[in-house]
Amino acid sequence: MAEQEAAAADAKPHVGPADFIDGGEKETEIDVRLSYGIIERFSEGLYSSPNKAFEELVSNSYDAGARTVWVRVPDDLDPADAYLAVIDDGISMDIAGFEALWEIGVSPKRPESGPELTNLERAPIGKFGIGKLATYVLANQLTYICKKGSRYLAVTMDYGRAHGAMSDPTPMSLDVVRLTASEAKTSLINALGDDALLKQLFGSKAVLSWTAAILGELKERGRALERGRLRWILRSALPLSDEFTLWFNKEELTSSKADGTVDWDFTIGQDDAALENWPYAAKLINDEHGPGVQLDSGIIRGKAQLFTETLKRGKSEELGRSHGFFVKVRGRLVNLDDETFGVDVELHHGVLTRFRMDVDADGLDAYIASPRESIQESAALTEVQGYLLNVFNRARSVRAKLEAQGAKDLLAAAERVAAPPPALSTMPLRRVLRRALDGDSILVELFGLDAETSAAARDALETHDALIQRVVIEALGHEKPLVRYDIAKRAVVVNSNHPFVSNYLGVHGAAEPLRMVGVTELLTQVYMLDEDIEPGLVMKILNRRDEFLRALAHIHPRSAPVIARALRDAKTHKDELEDAVADGMQILGYEVTRIGGNNEPDGIARARLGARQIDGGSTDYSVTYDSKSSKHDAIQAATAKTDALRKHREKYDADYSLLVAPGYEGDGADASSIETYCTNNSVTPITVEDLARLVDTFPFRTVTPDSLRTLFTLRTPVATRQYVDEVLASDPLTPPPVKQILALTRELSDRQDAVDVSTLSTALRLTHQIDIPIKPLTAMLRGLSALAPDGLWFEADERFALNASVENVIAELRATVGPLDNDVVGAFRDELRNGNGTE
């Protein structure tokens, strides 16, 4: 029997001191029964982040009665010899302490019977006996160097040596070595380097006892510690005070607080008394610890503040928050990342980000979950949450009253735009503008700020000028958004070049509602930003909304054959022909802005082709277009007024001019007048019939704005007709795999969201082994959407979506293609016949 025990002892894993321990004599061995299953389950499952696990070490120092804790986190955690350390001047450990240290699930701080173990009369934070396993999350090796009385001891735990199941842990042996003061100092220098801290640990003025916990052989999560985030956690989560100071490397940390102008202060137990209809008026107390409220679950104390500006400030939010509820139990924050503490305040996010409430609620201690990052559902938790919500609602009322007192903006009465209440205009706009001036890059872009306008904005904010004095409609450029704010003019500017505006601006009485839409659009942007929605997300939403507004200007969807028919039917009707030409250019793939009016072109069509691969320059181009209806088969050359068309092109800085008419006098004759006029003024003449043929044919041929550029270099009706003839005579496009395209689009779409062309191309290749490069697939999709405009949607040659079921889209395609000649549609009709297996 003795031989078996000796053999088992020899097989027992034996852990000596870490390599950085200098010298020392073996004092004893301590036996530890610790299985891999235990440490893995209890450590990695408990701590949400390496930062939180590291905080556990500092909490242990607090419970040990430390007055000062020194944290060491090197700049570079990747080297093999990088070490983390927490050193404190609390009650240290002797051999008995080392033995008790590894009793998992048992805490001497909170025994099942008898009084709690306290140091410096502090209520201990720890109570589960599992906090020591936090180190397993960070490192493979944990070394303690301790001074207690005149003795220096060191012991190392190697987690890699622990093995065995939870039900049958294998014992391991840890060497405890005794060090001299010189050896202890050298050991710390080996691991952490020499700095001023050592003067407080050694020498005539050294603290009486101290403990150094040093983590080595860092794991991936240990190397992932974020210094800025960790610093914030330590400042926010621990009870820093004159009785407990914390040094992070060479910086003394102070408790996390919010900075800014305070609009409202509220002290729990003190300011409750002044509130009307306050449900806690009978529960106020004021004892030796100060004012508070006696709830059934215990006394709560603390303070709430409402700030003028948001406390969410750019990159600092990546490190930690300054807003919301900060609930501490026995001095330790229990809702590190839960800004609401489970209180239902989602509908008032703009208030929450300006609100901070620090609360001590020790009565919740009995309900703390083992990770100490949450509170168990209970009547006590609900009671505390109810109190916090009442205070928050008071803050919300205060903010509403403050906004109502702001200076009102007066929008021009002549424009008949009612002056909105300041809470809906002045106040949010003022706050967001101030954030832009503070350097938020996306907001700077939104407001179009530069040195001059920034100075004007600062002047307006400092003098409290009315920020919205009028709403105007001015040209800002086709690419610009529907509205922008002009701080110099104190005006909301609606972009007359925006397709949505230009499409309706000529309609009698439309200017006033367009101004209303514009000011609402601007304030909607401001509201989202004022509610602290992330600016990048706001810009994404606004861009998608802008795309939709541009799409609304496209009248109603019509197929290519319908538009071609409309062109032919409108030869003798001015307005109808103008609309039909715009529809024709649009379905050919151009972005169309309808203009019209005296001394103006009918519109401008823009081709968005992207950048050149060689020099990065743009390949985009634009065309001003005009139509001339006539009750006769042809218009006279003088009626074309090509000199006016040239001026239109120059006015809008377009590249080409297009003239569409039923026919041209002298068409086909040598040296005709129309050829002379068009050549002299660089105008491309095309007949209504030829444009209609082009529209009819393009879904089945390689016709794109890129390929059509050649058309606009032609100067005679004969030349443009020959161009269209060549297009019709060219080989039809390979019929697209309609069934597969539609089925994959439906599969890839999420709640009718659009699918990128590149994604669809990849899916066709991987799923059906159909290899269609992006450009040909783009042409196919453009053609399909032109044939089934009700069932399909294709935007900017990039995104494709279904507006109906696959079966209905196929039915629409077949109905559109049915009447067309075979020489136009080629084999396309056969593909549709096979699309759902029936004629």
Side-chain angles (χ1 to χ4, degrees):
M1 186 68 177
E3 294 179 357
Q4 292 177 345
E5 292 179 353
D10 291 339
K12 182 169 52 177
H14 187 89
V15 181
D19 291 341
F20 61 80
I21 297 297
D22 180 63
E25 293 186 11
K26 182 175 177 179
E27 180 86 0
T28 187
E29 295 180 9
I30 60 173
D31 291 330
V32 176
R33 295 181 63 85
L34 192 64
S35 75
Y36 175 78
I38 289 176
I39 58 178
E40 182 179 45
R41 177 170 299 184
F42 278 93
S43 58
E44 294 197 334
L46 285 174
Y47 301 103
S48 59
S49 70
N51 301 303
K52 186 66 178 175
F54 192 93
E55 181 223 345
E56 189 71 47
L57 289 173
V58 184
S59 296
N60 290 340
S61 297
Y62 176 84
D63 282 348
R67 294 180 180 274
T68 306
V69 178
W70 299 271
V71 169
R72 291 293 185 267
V73 181
D75 294 339
D76 188 358
L77 294 170
D78 287 330
D81 61 350
Y83 291 96
L84 303 170
V86 175
I87 305 171
D88 69 69
D89 63 357
I91 303 300
S92 194
M93 291 181 287
D94 52 17
I95 293 174
F98 287 151
E99 291 175 337
L101 179 64
W102 298 106
E103 293 184 22
I104 307 303
V106 177
S107 175
K109 307 170 189 176
R110 310 274 195 104
E112 294 184 5
S113 62
E116 295 180 349
L117 176 63
T118 61
N119 292 296
L120 297 182
E121 298 183 350
R122 293 174 182 167
I125 295 173
K127 66 175 181 178
F128 297 103
I130 55 178
K132 70 267 296 183
L133 294 183
T135 55
Y136 173 78
V137 173
L138 305 171
N140 285 310
Q141 186 187 83
L142 168 63
T143 297
Y144 284 101
I145 303 177
C146 298
K147 177 194 177 186
K148 189 166 186 178
S150 60
R151 288 165 57 84
Y152 297 88
L153 299 176
V155 66
T156 296
M157 163 60 75
D158 185 347
Y159 289 116
R161 307 291 294 277
H163 58 279
M166 290 184 65
S167 60
D168 185 26
T170 301
M172 58 193 304
S173 177
L174 311 182
D175 284 349
V176 179
V177 297
R178 184 178 68 255
L179 306 173
T180 65
S182 176
E183 289 171 337
K185 182 176 182 179
T186 302
S187 298
L188 288 177
I189 293 174
N190 290 341
L192 308 178
D194 191 1
D195 65 18
L197 167 62
L198 298 181
K199 296 180 181 179
Q200 301 179 61
L201 303 182
F202 299 94
S204 59
K205 297 183 179 181
V207 294
L208 296 178
S209 67
W210 52 262
T211 302
I214 303 172
L215 284 71
E217 297 182 13
L218 300 182
K219 296 181 178 180
E220 182 177 352
R221 295 181 75 184
R223 294 194 299 271
L225 277 173
E226 304 164 287
R227 288 158 56 90
R229 173 71 173 172
L230 177 59
R231 176 181 175 276
W232 177 83
I233 288 175
L234 297 178
R235 290 182 66 212
S236 303
L238 294 167
L240 303 183
S241 66
D242 293 340
E243 294 295 322
F244 182 69
T245 60
L246 179 61
W247 289 79
F248 187 82
N249 292 338
K250 297 182 180 180
E251 175 192 4
E252 182 180 357
L253 300 185
T254 57
S255 293
S256 174
K257 296 181 181 179
D259 298 321
T261 303
V262 178
D263 289 331
W264 178 74
D265 273 300
F266 181 90
T267 299
I268 296 175
Q270 174 179 300
D271 295 317
D272 303 66
L275 299 177
E276 296 181 3
N277 301 318
W278 190 239
Y280 306 94
K283 299 183 179 183
L284 309 185
I285 65 166
N286 197 342
D287 56 20
E288 67 274 15
H289 300 292
V293 171
Q294 177 69 64
L295 301 178
D296 293 341
S297 57
I299 299 173
I300 62 171
R301 309 177 195 271
K303 186 175 184 177
Q305 292 179 304
L306 181 67
F307 293 80
T308 303
E309 300 298 329
T310 177
L311 299 175
K312 291 183 70 174
R313 293 169 185 167
K315 292 184 178 180
S316 64
E317 279 297 299
E318 298 173 7
L319 305 179
R321 62 184 174 93
S322 297
H323 68 284
F325 297 99
F326 291 77
V327 181
K328 291 186 176 182
V329 176
R330 296 197 171 197
R332 189 176 184 185
L333 188 66
V334 295
N335 64 316
L336 197 64
D337 295 313
D338 180 9
E339 61 191 21
T340 70
F341 192 60
V343 178
D344 184 16
V345 295
E346 289 85 352
L347 296 179
H348 311 293
H349 188 68
V351 179
L352 181 64
T353 57
R354 293 167 174 81
F355 174 84
R356 180 182 177 112
M357 188 172 186
D358 292 276
V359 181
D360 291 306
D362 289 354
L364 295 178
D365 178 66
Y367 305 96
I368 292 179
S370 56
R372 298 194 201 64
E373 295 183 79
S374 60
I375 305 293
Q376 299 171 12
E377 292 294 331
S378 59
L381 175 61
T382 301
E383 184 184 31
V384 173
Q385 290 172 330
Y387 181 86
L388 301 187
L389 179 58
N390 272 281
V391 175
F392 176 81
N393 285 335
R394 292 290 173 168
R396 184 165 57 89
S397 299
V398 169
R399 184 166 182 253
K401 291 178 181 178
L402 290 173
E403 290 193 336
Q405 297 169 2
K408 293 185 178 181
D409 285 321
L410 301 177
L411 305 182
E415 295 171 349
R416 297 178 61 195
V417 180
L424 296 179
S425 57
T426 303
M427 303 300 282
L429 178 58
R430 188 174 296 277
R431 286 191 293 266
V432 173
L433 187 58
R434 187 177 290 112
R435 283 171 57 191
L437 292 174
D438 288 341
D440 192 315
S441 59
I442 294 182
L443 298 184
V444 168
E445 176 185 347
L446 180 64
F447 283 103
L449 295 178
D450 53 26
E452 181 178 349
T453 54
S454 294
R458 288 191 179 89
D459 180 65
L461 293 175
E462 290 172 1
T463 58
H464 297 282
D465 286 355
L467 296 181
I468 302 178
Q469 298 179 4
R470 56 196 181 118
V471 182
V472 299
I473 300 177
E474 295 179 357
L476 299 176
H478 178 83
E479 295 301 316
K480 300 298 182 181
L482 183 138
V483 64
R484 73 175 177 85
Y485 176 66
D486 189 327
I487 182 63
K489 297 178 180 179
R490 311 290 196 271
V492 178
V493 182
V494 180
N495 183 11
S496 63
N497 297 134
H498 191 283
F500 180 82
V501 178
S502 62
N503 192 60
Y504 299 107
L505 190 56
V507 179
H508 178 70
E512 180 180 338
L514 285 172
R515 282 195 290 267
M516 290 182 177
V517 169
V519 73
T520 302
E521 175 79 1
L522 175 75
L523 291 177
T524 299
Q525 300 172 16
V526 170
Y527 296 156
M528 287 191 288
L529 294 166
D530 191 47
E531 288 291 330
D532 289 305
I533 298 176
E534 199 276 315
L537 178 60
V538 172
M539 294 299 290
K540 183 177 181 180
I541 294 171
L542 295 179
N543 289 337
R544 294 194 70 177
R545 176 180 169 88
D546 189 74
E547 289 180 7
F548 178 70
L549 288 172
R550 291 174 185 271
L552 286 179
H554 294 169
I555 314 298
H556 56 277
R558 290 187 286 176
S559 67
V562 170
I563 292 173
R565 190 181 312 120
L567 278 166
R568 295 181 174 104
D569 293 343
K571 290 180 181 179
T572 60
H573 304 283
K574 177 181 181 299
D575 292 339
E576 286 83 347
L577 182 60
E578 184 177 324
D579 282 340
V581 171
D583 290 342
M585 296 299 288
Q586 185 173 300
I587 205 167
L588 288 172
Y590 294 89
E591 289 186 9
V592 174
T593 301
R594 303 166 195 250
I595 302 175
N598 294 330
N599 301 316
E600 294 284 359
D602 289 350
I604 183 168
R606 292 176 171 83
R608 304 299 181 194
L609 305 179
R612 298 187 186 94
Q613 293 184 350
I614 298 176
D615 60 8
S618 175
T619 58
D620 295 352
Y621 67 89
S622 57
V623 182
T624 52
Y625 64 86
D626 284 270
S627 60
K628 302 292 182 182
S629 61
S630 175
K631 295 182 180 180
H632 306 287
D633 292 336
I635 64 170
Q636 296 179 354
T639 305
K641 298 182 179 179
T642 57
D643 56 337
L645 304 190
R646 172 180 53 79
K647 293 177 182 178
H648 293 166
R649 181 179 70 245
E650 293 170 350
K651 177 179 179 180
Y652 286 91
D653 195 26
D655 301 284
Y656 304 107
S657 297
L658 178 68
L659 174 62
V660 183
Y664 300 91
E665 188 179 48
D667 185 0
D670 294 337
S672 64
S673 297
I674 190 64
E675 178 180 356
T676 300
Y677 286 140
C678 288
T679 300
N680 290 343
N681 292 290
S682 299
V683 173
T684 298
I686 191 171
T687 65
V688 170
E689 176 60 27
D690 287 334
L691 181 58
R693 289 197 300 152
L694 198 58
V695 170
D696 247 340
T697 308
F698 101 89
F700 313 100
R701 301 294 189 277
T702 305
V703 178
T704 67
D706 192 15
S707 68
L708 286 172
R709 190 194 290 264
T710 304
L711 172 66
F712 302 111
T713 64
L714 307 178
R715 299 292 175 254
T716 68
V718 172
T720 56
R721 185 175 304 112
Q722 289 174 346
Y723 176 89
V724 176
D725 288 341
E726 291 173 1
V727 170
L728 268 67
S730 63
D731 292 334
L733 287 170
T734 300
V738 177
K739 179 180 179 181
Q740 293 88 339
I741 287 176
L742 298 183
L744 278 175
T745 301
R746 179 179 59 186
E747 181 179 339
L748 294 170
S749 297
D750 180 18
R751 298 182 181 178
Q752 297 298 317
D753 201 2
V755 178
D756 291 338
V757 176
S758 58
T759 301
L760 189 55
S761 176
T762 301
L764 282 168
R765 182 172 64 256
L766 296 178
T767 306
H768 299 292
Q769 292 73 54
I770 299 174
D771 191 4
I772 307 177
I774 292 177
K775 281 192 175 181
L777 181 59
T778 300
M780 289 180 181
L781 299 180
R782 189 189 303 114
L784 286 175
S785 60
L787 295 171
D790 289 325
L792 298 175
W793 180 84
F794 194 43
E795 176 66 19
D797 282 0
E798 293 180 357
R799 292 180 296 185
F800 185 67
L802 273 63
N803 292 329
S805 67
V806 171
E807 293 75 15
N808 287 342
V809 172
I810 291 177
E812 184 181 2
L813 288 169
R814 291 174 60 220
T816 301
V817 172
L820 301 179
D821 294 337
N822 284 332
D823 61 346
V824 172
V825 301
F828 196 96
R829 185 179 282 109
D830 293 334
E831 178 64 28
L832 285 177
R833 180 180 296 114
N834 296 329
N836 61 358
T838 61
E839 172 58 43

